[in-house]
Amino acid sequence: MSELAPFRNAYEIRHVQTNAAKSCTVCYKPSDIVLITDNKKDWFYVCGSHLKDKNFSNLVYWNNEGKDVSNEWKEKCLAVEKAMKEVKKLEKGNEVKNKSSWLSWSKDKESKDDKDEKKSDKESDKEKGNDNLSEKDRKSADLANWRKELADAELQLKEFEKINTRYVLDSVFYKGRLMQEWKQRHANEIKEKLNNGTLFPSLEGVKSLRKEE
Ligand SMILES: [Zn+2]
């Protein structure tokens, strides 16, 4: 990625209204998807199907500063997977362990997050209270907790993807975009120079040169 390039090879996706659809840069079919660079200097219409084609672009998770955040994305996917697995297990009515699986998982998570924090009284009360519940009650409480955990994890993943998804164009396409930008800029410069009369060297003195011949 050159510092001098007018825009990075990292495009975000935007959906325009259907009535604003324009022809795709690749196949000319109408599309309501626009790919746009972070600095908004380059954008073009493209079909959703091309975005799945590795020969056209690759999906990456980069934040606004261009830092690769795919590890965070993987963690969020794992959280969704874990919660989904627990929900399915509980829904199937598999045997519930003595201790609530959600409670022990959530305690693990908290102790990882706040290593130095002492266990609050509230938490031990919660645990004590849970022990008094019947197995059936515990099971349904567990299921409700995991369902909530799953919904939260899915929401977090969705938000993360919304913010950090970028498309890196195949180098040939990217070079094409840079070339087009350069041509456009060059054409504008020529137009500007023609308008203010600075495109050609001054013609003053041409007449006198002829006389000398
Ligand atoms: Zn297309």
Side-chain angles (χ1 to χ4, degrees):
M1 224 178 294
S2 164
E3 288 291 324
L4 295 171
F7 48 85
R8 292 191 303 140
N9 188 1
Y11 289 75
E12 291 171 35
I13 200 166
R14 295 273 189 279
H15 291 269
V16 297
Q17 286 179 344
T18 320
N19 59 10
K22 283 192 179 152
S23 58
C24 161
T25 310
V26 181
C27 71
Y28 306 107
K29 281 181 197 159
S31 170
D32 57 1
I33 296 173
V34 172
L35 282 188
I36 184 165
T37 55
D38 297 13
N39 65 4
K40 319 272 184 280
K41 282 204 172 167
D42 187 41
W43 56 270
F44 58 92
Y45 284 82
V46 71
C47 302
S49 57
H50 306 311
L51 299 178
K52 289 172 193 149
D53 180 358
K54 299 265 185 227
N55 293 317
F56 175 73
S57 70
N58 274 295
L59 191 158
V60 294
Y61 295 108
W62 288 352
N63 68 11
N64 275 337
E65 285 83 48
K67 192 187 155 214
D68 185 348
V69 287
S70 52
N71 281 339
E72 278 172 57
W73 175 75
K74 277 179 206 153
E75 275 170 27
K76 289 189 190 303
C77 288
L78 285 176
V80 170
E81 262 174 50
K82 160 91 182 155
M84 201 176 277
K85 217 168 122 189
E86 292 294 338
V87 167
K88 275 187 186 160
K89 201 165 80 185
L90 288 163
E91 279 176 347
K92 265 187 187 172
N94 283 357
E95 201 180 307
V96 182
K97 292 174 205 161
N98 277 342
K99 214 170 195 181
S100 154
S101 68
W102 183 83
L103 197 64
S104 58
W105 174 82
S106 115
K107 270 163 66 188
D108 272 6
K109 193 179 159 197
E110 275 170 35
S111 64
K112 224 191 276 172
D113 291 348
D114 325 286
K115 275 176 199 159
D116 303 327
E117 261 180 47
K118 285 176 192 166
K119 270 184 202 169
S120 66
D121 293 342
K122 206 176 146 195
E123 197 182 324
S124 359
D125 285 351
K126 198 164 77 183
E127 204 171 338
K128 244 183 258 166
N130 235 58
D131 286 343
N132 296 330
L133 292 173
S134 73
E135 190 171 311
K136 199 183 163 199
D137 287 341
R138 192 187 290 142
K139 195 174 161 183
S140 62
D142 219 13
L143 181 57
N145 281 328
W146 275 115
R147 277 187 179 146
K148 195 188 169 297
E149 199 66 45
L150 176 60
D152 286 350
E154 281 177 337
L155 189 70
Q156 278 197 34
L157 177 64
K158 213 174 152 190
E159 284 295 307
F160 183 90
E161 288 180 345
K162 201 175 154 192
I163 298 168
N164 299 299
T165 298
R166 302 282 184 280
Y167 291 89
V168 175
L169 303 185
D170 174 81
S171 60
V172 173
F173 284 101
Y174 178 57
K175 275 178 197 154
R177 297 307 304 172
L178 286 176
M179 186 61 86
Q180 191 164 316
E181 192 274 346
W182 183 84
K183 274 186 191 162
Q184 187 62 52
R185 193 151 34 96
H186 196 60
N188 286 343
E189 276 169 17
I190 290 179
K191 208 169 142 191
E192 206 176 299
K193 280 179 181 170
L194 275 173
N195 283 341
N196 59 29
T198 55
L199 183 65
F200 300 108
S202 167
L203 296 180
E204 274 172 41
V206 170
K207 219 174 166 185
S208 57
L209 275 172
R210 273 196 189 142
K211 271 182 189 169
E212 281 165 23
E213 273 171 6

